[in-house]
Amino acid sequence: MNKLIFGRYIPGDSFIHRLDPRGKLLLSFYFIGIIFLAHNWQSYLLLFLFTMFAVLMSRVNLGFFIRGVRPLIWLILFTVILQIFFTRGGHLYWHWGPLVVSQYGLVNGGYIFMRFVLIIFMSTLLTLTTPPLQLSDAIESILKPFKVFHLPVYEIALMISIALRFVPTLMDETEKIMNAQRARGVDFGSGSLSQKMRAIIPLLIPLFVNSFNRAEDLATAMEARGYQGGEGRTKYRVLTWKGQDTLAVAAFAVITGLLIWLR
Amino acid sequence: MANIIEVTDLSYHYPQMEQRPALQHVNFTVQAGEWLAIIGHNGSGKSTLAKSLDGLLTPDPQNKGEIKVAGLTLTDETVWQIRAKIGMVFQNPDNQFVGATVEDDVAFGLENRGVPRPEMQERVHAALKRVRMTEFADREPARLSGGQKQRVAIAGIIAQRPDIIILDESTSMLDPKGRAEVLATVRQLNQEDHLTVISITHDIDEAAQANRIVVLDDGQVKETGTPAEIFAYGERLIEMGLDVPYAERLKTALRQVGADVPKQYLTEEGMADWLWTSHSKM
């Protein structure tokens, strides 16, 4: 159950860890945007070096990033293979009906592969170095302007933070129910697919019922502690934008400039 | 001493259970600064009563009675004022932990009331110090024991500076150590800060801490008295919803074989002391 690498925070005190989560979140999205500016091997090399530099700065083991790619590897390979077989141009190495393997196809396939890997590395970097709670603070802060359109920004952030807070609790509970059902003879691991699915039912039903009970208890407790919605609340946790955050933005601006120059 | 809570003729029906009222014509008062225990077996209406005091149940249209907290009558208009005066600790330590970390959770109630941030930080730290959880301030709830979580819940209440603290079976899911820690914290609040404590419990040690005990049965107040008066019922305590301690069972057994045992409630140590001094001639 701990294989879920996406969204797992690795505590640390690197430059990347200390960056403002709002900056990190926005820059991660920005990175996905500028990666489409790259059109030749020089620009991909630049982005690769930049990403590696960021990864090294975070002082998080590279293995975590490679593990982040693994769940998506089939999607990546599928896209790369489509790109290779259906792109024409340049030297033709092989063809069979509509399928071809051309020089352009291979090059484009390589680019697509790089694009995927770099995006995954960058977003993994975000989630590995930012505690989920800070991410939810960042989302709240970024969405704030949308309050004008009656978007319940505060409630959304509270929902995310409560959901995150209950993940370990519910995992523990799942473990307990599984053990309780195992003790009653339920076999979770073996059998055909439909048998496995059926074994999940005695796990899911108590889990659902308990979750609803928890939700009701939690709502009562929140009300007892004076919760009346987001209006008029003050915040205990605040985010502060520092010089290092501006520096990170500047680094991205330089990279953008170089990418445009390399086109 | 002045009454801080006055309940007169309170009745409550849950919407789906019209025939069986959860509370019937309940009357009782709580004095400022006292520790009142409410006992009763499952389904006797204890938790309904606790939730009613904090205005956490949808009002019952058939209810003719009223609840007064610190001079305010509980209505839709006063409910938030009253909730500010009452802090509640519930049964399940996990299901009342709102914040992602200890300090966030303590701050939650203050955020709700719009306390400015510098004051909030001060109050959070003071409250955590009070329950001896300062070094856990940045911990996630998953890394705390049940007793620690309940102490965080109490810190959240201290930070809000209420007059009354209600423990709604708050120690029932804890191990003996956690239970002792929580009760010690509450005792300190009761004695040093003169906080009024209402504890709803099955635990005789918790009930023994009280100045007075109210026994609920079928939604009605059956008995009111000091712990010594209530514990003198011996065997009948089980019907009342208390787990009778070993010392009390021993006393009943001794009385049956004709021994002259003291009537008042004795702790296990008190019982041992009495036993070894009962034949002493010195």
Side-chain angles (χ1 to χ4, degrees):
Chain A
M1 229 160 269
N2 290 328
K3 281 178 214 143
L4 218 72
I5 185 73
F6 195 82
R8 281 224 30 222
Y9 169 63
I10 311 282
D13 192 34
S14 69
F15 177 80
I16 308 275
H17 279 87
R18 287 194 305 266
L19 285 177
D20 189 296
R22 289 169 294 184
K24 272 196 270 189
L25 185 65
L26 287 178
L27 288 177
S28 300
F29 280 113
Y30 180 71
F31 183 79
I32 297 172
I34 59 170
I35 209 162
F36 289 97
L37 287 173
H39 269 301
N40 47 35
W41 68 267
Q42 293 96 329
S43 47
Y44 275 105
L45 182 69
L46 174 73
L47 284 172
F48 178 75
L49 290 176
F50 180 66
T51 309
M52 278 303 141
F53 178 66
V55 166
L56 285 179
M57 287 248 295
S58 75
R59 283 191 237 133
V60 176
N61 195 328
L62 190 66
F64 283 111
F65 292 88
I66 294 167
R67 251 173 281 167
V69 176
R70 215 183 279 159
L72 291 169
I73 195 72
W74 294 113
L75 176 76
I76 298 173
L77 287 181
F78 180 70
T79 319
V80 168
I81 287 168
L82 281 187
Q83 195 71 27
I84 291 176
F85 281 145
F86 291 102
T87 310
R88 285 157 196 278
H91 190 82
L92 199 67
Y93 300 108
W94 178 86
H95 69 105
W96 183 79
L99 301 179
V100 292
V101 174
S102 68
Q103 189 187 352
Y104 281 18
L106 284 177
V107 169
N108 275 348
Y111 287 172
I112 295 266
F113 182 76
M114 278 302 281
R115 212 177 271 172
F116 267 113
V117 169
L118 291 179
I119 289 174
I120 292 168
F121 270 34
M122 232 2 152
S123 43
T124 311
L125 183 68
L126 172 73
T127 53
L128 287 180
T129 63
T130 320
L133 189 65
Q134 279 199 20
L135 274 182
S136 101
D137 285 343
I139 292 170
E140 179 182 1
S141 173
I142 291 165
L143 289 179
K144 227 174 237 164
F146 294 94
K147 263 191 182 152
V148 188
F149 307 110
H150 301 289
L151 187 74
V153 175
Y154 171 74
E155 279 77 4
I156 291 173
L158 184 72
M159 261 157 39
I160 298 174
S161 101
I162 288 177
L164 290 170
R165 176 244 164 286
F166 273 96
V167 168
T169 311
L170 290 178
M171 279 211 204
D172 276 357
E173 185 151 297
T174 313
E175 194 79 36
K176 263 188 215 151
I177 298 171
M178 273 176 102
N179 286 337
Q181 302 290 32
R182 271 198 201 109
R184 288 166 178 76
V186 176
D187 185 1
F188 287 105
S190 57
S192 66
L193 190 65
S194 79
Q195 273 171 325
K196 272 190 197 164
M197 298 282 270
R198 233 171 293 151
I200 297 278
I201 295 172
L203 177 66
L204 277 186
I205 291 175
L207 198 59
F208 260 99
V209 172
N210 284 348
S211 303
F212 278 102
N213 287 335
R214 273 184 200 285
E216 203 172 326
D217 280 0
L218 189 69
T220 310
M222 284 169 69
E223 219 182 306
R225 289 163 75 181
Y227 180 72
Q228 299 179 69
E231 281 312 303
R233 275 188 113 235
T234 44
K235 286 214 55 133
Y236 180 68
R237 188 197 305 280
V238 290
L239 301 170
T240 41
W241 189 268
K242 293 190 259 337
Q244 55 185 20
D245 302 303
T246 314
L247 195 68
V249 172
F252 271 82
V254 170
I255 292 293
T256 314
L258 284 172
L259 283 176
I260 292 170
W261 179 70
L262 282 171
R263 270 168 83 92
Chain B
M1 247 194 254
N3 287 338
I4 194 159
I5 296 179
E6 287 173 25
V7 176
T8 35
D9 198 29
L10 179 73
S11 297
Y12 191 83
H13 295 75
Y14 280 101
Q16 298 88 359
M17 301 169 80
E18 291 298 326
Q19 298 83 21
R20 235 187 119 256
L23 294 174
Q24 311 181 48
H25 312 290
V26 170
N27 289 290
F28 74 98
T29 57
V30 185
Q31 287 172 0
E34 85 167 325
W35 183 320
L36 179 83
I38 300 176
I39 64 170
H41 57 77
N42 290 331
S44 60
K46 298 178 309 246
S47 281
T48 310
L49 182 59
K51 289 199 177 101
S52 302
L53 293 178
D54 207 19
L56 290 169
L57 296 168
T58 28
D60 179 352
Q62 297 173 46
N63 175 35
K64 307 240 164 17
E66 67 168 16
I67 297 170
K68 258 187 169 176
V69 178
L72 287 168
T73 305
L74 180 70
T75 60
D76 277 351
E77 286 79 46
T78 58
V79 67
W80 294 105
Q81 272 169 278
I82 285 177
R83 280 179 194 164
K85 292 184 191 298
I86 300 178
M88 281 191 82
V89 185
F90 296 92
Q91 181 175 20
N92 190 321
D94 260 316
N95 296 0
Q96 55 185 314
F97 206 110
V98 186
T101 67
V102 167
E103 47 182 343
D104 281 297
D105 191 64
V106 176
F108 180 74
L110 301 176
E111 290 179 317
N112 288 337
R113 302 213 156 89
V115 176
R117 188 161 178 268
E119 191 190 333
M120 194 145 55
Q121 282 172 311
E122 221 169 89
R123 279 162 78 164
V124 168
H125 293 145
L128 281 176
K129 204 170 160 195
R130 202 70 216 279
V131 300
R132 294 177 299 281
M133 287 292 288
T134 307
E135 70 255 54
F136 299 95
D138 55 354
R139 288 275 186 105
E140 296 93 44
R143 289 160 61 205
L144 300 177
S145 72
Q148 287 172 329
K149 277 178 224 172
Q150 292 301 60
R151 266 151 66 202
V152 172
I154 293 172
I157 287 165
I158 297 172
Q160 290 185 54
R161 298 181 185 153
D163 303 323
I164 303 155
I165 176 166
I166 299 179
L167 308 172
D168 187 357
E169 299 195 36
S170 316
T171 60
S172 62
M173 287 176 74
L174 305 180
D175 55 20
K177 185 169 167 270
R179 187 172 300 167
E181 284 169 1
V182 168
L183 286 180
T185 310
V186 175
R187 194 183 313 122
Q188 206 185 356
L189 291 175
N190 177 245
Q191 284 169 358
E192 290 170 17
D193 301 352
H194 308 293
L195 229 70
T196 309
V197 177
I198 299 175
S199 75
I200 287 157
T201 185
H202 283 288
D203 180 42
I204 195 137
D205 290 326
E206 193 175 326
Q209 308 252 340
N211 303 110
R212 280 194 308 141
I213 297 179
V214 168
V215 183
L216 274 188
D217 188 24
D218 272 338
Q220 289 170 308
V221 177
K222 270 278 140 72
E223 304 278 352
T224 311
T226 62
E229 286 165 6
I230 300 290
F231 292 159
Y233 286 109
E235 294 284 280
R236 278 192 50 215
L237 287 171
I238 302 173
E239 289 164 44
M240 291 174 179
L242 271 186
D243 302 326
V244 176
Y246 177 69
E248 284 299 307
R249 290 204 303 268
L250 180 63
K251 250 162 64 177
T252 319
L254 283 173
R255 206 172 285 134
Q256 275 167 0
V257 296
D260 183 24
V261 280
K263 278 236 156 36
Q264 78 269 27
Y265 173 71
L266 292 175
T267 60
E268 231 162 270
E269 283 139 64
M271 189 70 197
D273 283 346
W274 177 79
L275 276 176
W276 73 263
T277 52
S278 60
H279 273 283
S280 168
K281 299 278 178 287
M282 288 171 76

